[in-house]
Amino acid sequence: MIRSGEHAFKPEAQLFWPREPILCIHADQNGSYITTKKGVQRRFQGIWDALEWLSRELLISKFPAQFPVAAGYLSYELLHHIEEIPRPAHDPFQIPYYVFYLYRQVREYNESSQSTFLHTLDYGDLYEPFWRAEADESFVVAEKLEGGYNSIAADDIEEVLSEASNFTRHSYTRAVEDIRGRIERGLVYQVNLTQRFTLPFSGPPGYFFSCLDSIVPARYATYLNVSGLGHQQQFVVASSSPELFIYSDGGSLLTSPIKGSCMRGSDPDSDHQAIEALKSSVKDRAELAMIVDLARNDLGKVSEIGSVEVLEHARVDTLPYAHHLVSDVVSRRDGRFDLPSLIRAMFPCGSITGAPKIAAMEAISELEDAARGVYTGAVGYLGTGGACQFNVAIRTAVIKNSQLIFQTGGGIVFDSDAEIEYRESMFKAAGLYRAWKAAS
């Protein structure tokens, strides 16, 4: 399932349900592959080769571009094939760098007209689906769970999650102080530091996603079942992300970084006060300005000269449970660059690394000490003619081997308070934590 948000080039929010995958491309440390239900059909030596193949196939495809023909994820660790960043010491996920499925059917739900359409993509009888449509839709939808973040006490979250984290309170605050030292020495301006939580989970993954989508609904929510690639590579990605990494209609590009968030007020007056405090926050606006500048530079690598512009800066986006400070950066895509070139120029999103990006990623590899996996990578779809949309994989969990794994954190700057940052990273886990409790 993929939710498409409203933005400059796509005015209507839509819900897409790609069904019956008939082909998969994926990459690991040994290369990249094209796989069907019968097994690996083609192997490439290069990590990017299979994605380049799929990009070429979709570019010449006659299928409409307005819905996902293929969908999948980009792991955060794909960055090691873009920049020479030291690898973290541990990789608890052991998942492919990317996985994309090519689908035979796409069910589309238009939220404004409340109309449903089923699109069938004709590949003849070349491929048998990895699984049938019924398996995509077998999970129970959660009832509406009210309250979001505000219904959970911070102390309750810390009591459970402190035991499930790869950081202790002391080691997390020490990492914050390490970053502040790097900033003082002029090595970096900001680093996004996160901690990972691992919780037992044996319930239906689809029900967890439904609970998550009910508690913290988001514009770029996605649910992806990764299967058919061997027992060790079976897992589910459940993402309720509010942040757009990249959107393209084939000719234009849009990225919308978020920096600065606050909870909704309990009444109209307090909600208005929360918005005004966010809009006037010097710290949040400074962080957003740094990331917008980084996004402009990244977009410029694959855009027509002079076409990059900030369409709207530091606007407030309001969701049912939070306000976010967001900017839109747009450009005209240079037709010489294909999808892999676009990913290499933009990935990963600067809002979840820090700035300068390379120095921030080096600090993350050293201080977090473990691979992030899908988290802070990207999940989304590929259309035809160069169209695509990816979220930033925040508020995102991976369910694998009877475990639910997710991360939270925030941007650390020089005036960050280590104790406040620790508690904030805990409280950011509230939606995921509550969905876990509801679905367990």
Side-chain angles (χ1 to χ4, degrees), residues 73-76 95 235 237 372-379 393 396 398:
Y73 76 84
L74 305 168
S75 163
Y76 177 79
I95 63 172
F235 54 95
V237 179
R372 287 182 172 185
V374 178
Y375 174 72
T376 63
V379 190
T396 297
V398 168

Side-chain angles (χ1 to χ4, degrees), residues 72-187:
Y73 76 84
L74 305 168
S75 163
Y76 177 79
E77 276 63 49
L78 189 59
L79 71 89
H80 298 293
H81 294 276
I82 301 173
E83 303 288 352
E84 293 186 3
I85 305 296
R87 293 178 180 271
H90 307 288
D91 184 0
F93 297 96
Q94 296 293 314
I95 63 172
Y97 290 120
Y98 60 75
V99 173
F100 286 91
Y101 290 101
L102 187 65
Y103 293 91
R104 188 163 69 178
Q105 293 182 346
V106 179
R107 193 177 71 182
E108 174 190 358
Y109 176 71
N110 188 294
E111 294 182 340
S112 60
S113 65
Q114 297 186 344
S115 302
T116 301
F117 308 92
L118 180 63
H119 306 272
T120 299
L121 312 177
D122 185 10
Y123 300 101
D125 297 324
L126 290 175
Y127 307 108
E128 182 182 356
F130 283 97
W131 59 84
R132 295 293 178 180
E134 294 78 12
D136 291 326
E137 302 168 358
S138 60
F139 58 76
V140 178
V141 177
E143 296 182 7
K144 185 66 177 176
L145 301 171
E146 301 293 346
Y149 285 75
N150 293 323
S151 63
I152 308 171
D155 290 342
D156 293 341
I157 299 170
E158 283 193 42
E159 183 178 351
V160 175
L161 294 188
S162 61
E163 298 297 320
S165 176
N166 64 327
F167 278 94
T168 64
R169 180 190 295 265
H170 175 68
S171 63
Y172 193 84
T173 55
R174 189 173 58 195
V176 172
E177 293 303 326
D178 182 289
I179 293 168
R180 293 182 70 252
R182 293 172 192 242
I183 296 171
E184 189 172 30
R185 296 194 300 275
L187 302 176

Side-chain angles (χ1 to χ4, degrees), residues 259 283-294 313 327:
K259 271 298 172 186
K283 176 179 180 292
D284 289 330
R285 293 184 72 93
E287 288 188 44
L288 182 60
M290 281 191 286
I291 301 307
V292 165
D293 190 52
L294 193 158
H313 180 59
S327 291

